[in-house]
Amino acid sequence: MLDLLIHNANLPDGRSQMSVAVHAGKIVEVAAALQAPARQTLDAQGFLLSPPFVDAHFHMDATLSYGLPRVNQSGTLLEGIALWGELKPLLTQEALVTRALAYCDWAVAKGLLAIRTHVDVCDERLLAVDALLEVKRQVAPYIDLQLVAFPQDGVLRTPGALDNLKRALDKGVDVVGGIPHFERTSEQGAASVKLLCELAAERGLRVDMHCDESDDPHSRHVETLAFETQRLGLHGLATGSHLTSMHSMDNYYVSKLIALMAEAQLHAVANPLINITLQGRHDNYPKRRGMTRVPELLAAGINVAFGHDCVMDPWYSLGSGDMLEVAHMGLHVAQMTSQAAMRQCFDAVTVNAARVMGLENYGLAVGCNADFVLLQARDPVEALRLRANRLKVFKRGMLLAESAQASTQLHLAGRPARTAFQSD
Ligand code: FE2
């Protein structure tokens, strides 16, 4: 007897009228019009059943702190970092846990069931580390939360940061982070990449650096990250996050760089909502978009994900945990408007992001975890267009969240009243 049988679902790969069978938290069959006894059945009504959304880049220690202790006036990355520095001494573990758990509730409602969050380790107390380890433990039944030890103020620039980072890893933080462009000099930035990659290799961990989050075309730490990844055999385990300086780099240099990144099997994470708002702030007109070269990276075979990065914090005043909003912005900023490119944008917040995190058993194939979201849309492109309603969210075959179908009653003069929805 199956635990759950879903009928009449469209799948992201274009198959329609599919059934998905679940037993003991796993997908045991995916087939057209399957008939089998099940404890629970669900008619998907031709809507899109997708693996859950995955956010490959977030800051859960800062989320929902907007306005504390004040608002970012210039809108720049650097004022955001300064503002976070003002907020840090005022943080309590209780407040951090409360805000992070509130965000996790939002995430579940949006079908976002895996998040890689950076956690600032430039704090002797490691308050945020302890808070997010506690959150990770509490949300484990419904969200895969992966933590990155992130030296926000620079691992070499800040006294004690390296020791704090190592202590965070000892406590159970999963991934080694860094911020080479924030070190005092380019040489120090490169040295930090080398040091942190060596630390990751020693401990058998993944690496995810905030890398070249700048409009400066000479910020080239991703080159060192690709080199160290290659040298230390970290292929497929290292991620360059942001990479916004690539937007402004010389095309000839980028043609060499992208090949090096591909060789190292580096993952790339762009954060469209944040890149489009933080970058280009020193520009007059024309203003640069600041996002990294997503279509070119994808064309070279590099795995690219889109991250949310920030929600209501010192860097960004908006956001709601909606990865379709993130992908929608990424699509626009990168001008990825062909059918194939729009589908790639959907992948950037699902399968590609899962690859960045190294999630196992993710997807809609037999043997995968029965984690999925039913969207009020027929296919990935429509899901993006509508930032589709999440009708049902499942984890290991268990219902976590559900929403009523969205519709509008129209009362137009001279026409019969009717119910309408934007995809009718
Ligand atoms: Fe970030």
Side-chain angles (χ1 to χ4, degrees), residues 11-13 48 324 343 346 378-385:
L11 303 186
D13 63 11
L48 176 65
L324 283 171
R343 284 169 191 274
F346 189 85
R378 305 288 170 195
D379 59 56
V381 172
E382 190 170 77
L384 283 164
R385 181 171 68 82

Side-chain angles (χ1 to χ4, degrees), residues 113-115 140 142-146 357 359 371 395-396:
L113 299 187
I115 302 172
Y142 50 94
I143 290 182
D144 287 318
L145 191 60
Q146 197 176 68
M357 287 183 66
L359 295 181
D371 303 346
K395 175 87 171 180
R396 306 292 193 267

Side-chain angles (χ1 to χ4, degrees), residues 57-59 118 150 210 213 241-242 271 309-310:
H57 188 110
F58 195 61
H59 294 264
H118 295 254
F150 174 47
H210 280 66
E213 189 180 3
S241 279
H242 289 290
N271 297 294
D309 200 6
C310 303

Side-chain angles (χ1 to χ4, degrees), residues 11 13 15 18-21 27-34 363-367:
L11 303 186
D13 63 11
R15 285 179 289 171
M18 297 299 290
S19 304
V20 176
I27 296 173
V28 291
E29 199 162 353
V30 179
L34 195 66
L364 287 184
V366 171

Side-chain angles (χ1 to χ4, degrees), residues 15 20 59 99 113 122 145 152 175 200 274 291 319 344 403:
R15 285 179 289 171
V20 176
H59 294 264
R99 287 198 285 262
L113 299 187
C122 288
L145 191 60
Q152 171 77 74
V175 179
I274 307 311
M291 195 168 79
Q344 285 180 314
S403 305

Side-chain angles (χ1 to χ4, degrees), residues 342-375:
M342 289 193 284
R343 284 169 191 274
Q344 285 180 314
C345 290
F346 189 85
D347 290 346
V349 292
T350 51
V351 281
N352 294 7
R355 218 171 287 145
V356 169
M357 287 183 66
L359 295 181
E360 287 169 4
N361 304 318
Y362 175 89
L364 287 184
V366 171
C368 290
N369 294 329
D371 303 346
F372 27 71
V373 53
L374 184 66
L375 296 158

